Structure formats: structure tokens, C-alpha cells
Amino acid sequence: MDTKKISNESGIEIRPYYGSETSEIPGDFPYTRGIRNDMYRGRLWTMRQYAGFSTAEESNKRYHFLLGQGTMGLSVAFDLPTQIGYDSSHEFAEGEVGKVGVAIDSLKDFETLFDGIKLQDITTSMTINATASTLLAMYIVLAKKQGADLKMISGTIQNDILKEYAARGTYIYPPKQSMRLITDIFEFCSKEVPKWNTISISGYHIREAGSTAAQELAFTLANGKTYVQSALEKGLDINVFAKRLSFFFNAHNDIFEEVAKFRAARRMWANITKSLGATDPQAQMLRFHTQTGGSTLTAQQSENNIIRVTLQALSAVMGGTQSLHTNGFDEALSLPTESAARIALRTQQIIGYESGVTNSVDPLGGSYYVEALTDEIEKLAYSYIETIDAMGGSVAAIEQGYMQNEIAKSAYIYQKQIEKNEKAIVGVNKYVEKEINSTPLMKIDDSIRKVQIEKLDKLKLERDNAQVAVLLNKLSEAAKTNENLMPHIVNCVEAYCTLGEIADTLRLVFGEYQG
């Protein structure tokens, strides 16, 4: 029980939570009001800033800057070739190296990316899916090289391939083989890195693709059910692996709808995991990271985005998030500059230390409006999940195009509302001004690819290429069996096999998904 005494500026003591004797207590099943009874009174959410661009050297400088500004954890963005398993030298990588994230071709790049940063002292989130097994292996190998206790390192890999098929597109292998890699990671991490969150089941990209809040919640939890069921079929213990599942949600401008969505998510997941056999409270709790809505940002009057991000961050905090990234106001124009990243981080810090919203748990709980919205969003989300279950689950629903079509319909309706001025977007179709955009932009030079290719050429001259060939062959043979692939991928990474070589080895066995 929280016994800490907190008062506001008027000297009024703030209780941990409010409600009648019959109302739900925060920290109790089904966790609608929060997963801890003290929430931010005990500790604030982890303040992250999503960053990664150009080379490992440049991204490392940004990470040191962010840590110096008070960021509590790192969140790594990877470029498109890294996300879909191509080395920077591959012809398909041309024009994309280092553009939307950092280019990682091998353990050498990873060593540079975290130079001067002790992995045991921070938590790291990595937005990576199709090649999540390889990037996680790099993190583990680097942690070992730093002398870290692998039982203590913590962080998250996104590792959510189902939403890639439904909304985002950075997949490589067919669904069955992708699910095999994910459950291999579950099994491996439960033994080797037990504090690592093995998946971040993402609604963020579903929302970015145009879904409604209710669809974001429904499709994300439906995917979560599928991952749990796949792990159960592999014989894993839900009371062990479900503790390391996390979620990743979007936050848009309607504060009350977003808060209701987060509250409903906790309640629904607690009941879903219980129905699947979870008895440990830690395995029933929905923990989530939030990022403010990239698709809500406007190139017009871009400073307005600071207000949008503030509203969205407030909804995440009042909805009980465990971790938060706030977007830079310039992200409709380019990757965030250092100044924009600082403002985004300060937004979180001002909310955390100055706004007072952290003094009580579930501050909007008990509001007639928010309680009704929570119930209505839950009801609507369950109706989508029932449809997906009737189709045979998320994989079947994706293969039949159901999720994709529902998202596309919602995106179309929203866009038509903007075009008809039925939906106001300040600076776009309301209070429009003629302006010359003077926002400083961050540009990534195409010469980055040449730098990466030179590093790759040097690596291949210096490493033991005979050992590389042996280990890649072992990985190939293991992929043809039911053996867990993670130990083989770790061995390949340690020998400085490249990300593309590992992905290509699995491509030859698994094939590629033609969506």
C-alpha cells in the first residue's frame, strides 16, 4: 500500500487513488486502473527518445546527447535495409542507407553504436521485426563483451511480425517461419536473458496506417493472443513467457478516447491471458510503451505539433503508460534535429515534474465519460476480436486481408472528412496561413552507403571467413529442423557474419513472403 504523503500547492493532501469502497483498486485484477497501486508516485515512466540515423558513429553521438539531457532509456531506429535483412552493399539498399534509422551491417557497427554506453546500466528498446533475432543476438554478444550479467540486462525488441503483414510491410519470411523465429526468441530469452521483453506487440503502426483507436486495440490484442497460442503450442509456460510480453500503442489528440483505450487494453488483456491459462498476476498484466502519433503531425505550421505532442503525451501518462517517446515537432518534414528532440524530451519532463498529473493513480478514473468510453471501446474491440477468432485467428485474418481492408476503410473515411472540412486540422484546412517554412531540417547524405560498404569490405578481409562459412551452414541445417535457432544466430554474430548473410541463409530455407 502506498503510504507516501503528497500535497498540491494549496496544501491539500493527494490520496493515491480515488473512488468508492466498491470501485476497483489500482494494482488489482483486471488492472483497469493501473498495474501498480502507486504508479508514478513510486516511479515515473521511462522517458525514451526514438533515435537512430546515418552511421553508428552519428547515432552514438545523439544517444550520448539524449542521456545527458535526462533520457532514461534508449530507443533505436534502424534503416530500411537493416529492417528487411540487406547489407548496405546490396543493390536493394541503394538510396535507403541510414535514411530512416541507423545502418547496422554487423557486430562492428553495433559495437560503435553503443560505444561508451554500458548496456547493463540502461534499458534499450529496438524497433526491429523481421531481423529481430539478429539484432537481439548482437545486443547479447556486446553485453557479454562488456562483462555484463546477462540475467540483468533489460530492454525490448519489437519482434511483432503480424502487424508487419497487416500494416507496415517490413517482413521477410512467410508467417509460419516468422512465428517460429519469434517463439524461438521467447524460449531462448526465458533462459538466457530473463529480464528482456521478447516482444512489443504493436498497435502503433496499425494506427499510423489509418485505423481507429478501437481497431488499434482490437487488432493488437488479437495478434497478442496469436503469439501466446503459438508459444503454448511450442510447450512454453504462459506464467513464464507472458511476463516478458509488452505492448506498444499510439497516442492521438482525443485525450479521453486515448485514456479509455489504454484502460480497456489492460482489462481486456488480463481477461484474455487468464482465459488462456495465466494464473500469475505478472503474466496477466499489460505493460505498454507509447509513442505520440506521427501521422497527426503537420508540415504546415509545424510548431503547432508541440501542442499536439503535449496532448498526446498527457493521454499516455493519464492512461498509465510504462514508457513514452514524444515526437519532434519537425518530424513531418525530416528526422528530428537535436533541438526538436530536446523540446520533445522536455515535454515529458514538464509533465512528469510540474503538471501534478502524476500525484494520483488513474486520475480520470470515476469520470462518467471516461468510464463509459472505456466500456464502449472494450465492447467494440471485442466485436472485432470475435470476428478474427471466427476466421481462425490473426494469421488467417491477415491472409484473407480482413485487417488490411478494415484499416484501409477507416483511413479513407478519415481522409474524406478532412477534404470535406468535416474534420478540422489546424493549419491544414482551418486557420491556414501563407508561410515560408524556415524550420531547420536534418538531411542524411547518400554518401553514407559508401562509408558502410568500405566498412563491410574491411570486415570481410579481417574476419575468419572459413569459420563464417561453417557457422552459416550450421544455421542453415538447423533451420531445416525444429531446433532453436537463437544459439546459432548468436554464434554467427560473434564470428562477425553480417546481418545480410544471416538473413540470406534463412531466406534460402524459409523462402520470402509475397504479400
Side-chain angles (χ1 to χ4, degrees), residues 254 256-257 260 368-378:
D254 186 331
F256 299 107
E257 182 178 35
Y368 293 115
Y369 182 38
V370 170
E371 294 295 348
L373 269 181
T374 302
D375 293 343
E376 289 296 324
I377 286 178
E378 178 182 21

Side-chain angles (χ1 to χ4, degrees), residues 73 80 82 119 210 219-220 228 249 272 289 304 306 316 325 340 386 394 400 415 498 500:
L80 281 176
T82 303
L119 300 188
F219 298 161
T220 304
V228 170
F249 289 115
I272 287 169
H289 169 72
N304 293 345
I306 296 173
H325 161 80
E386 286 165 8
S394 285
Q400 294 174 48
Q415 184 59 35
T498 70

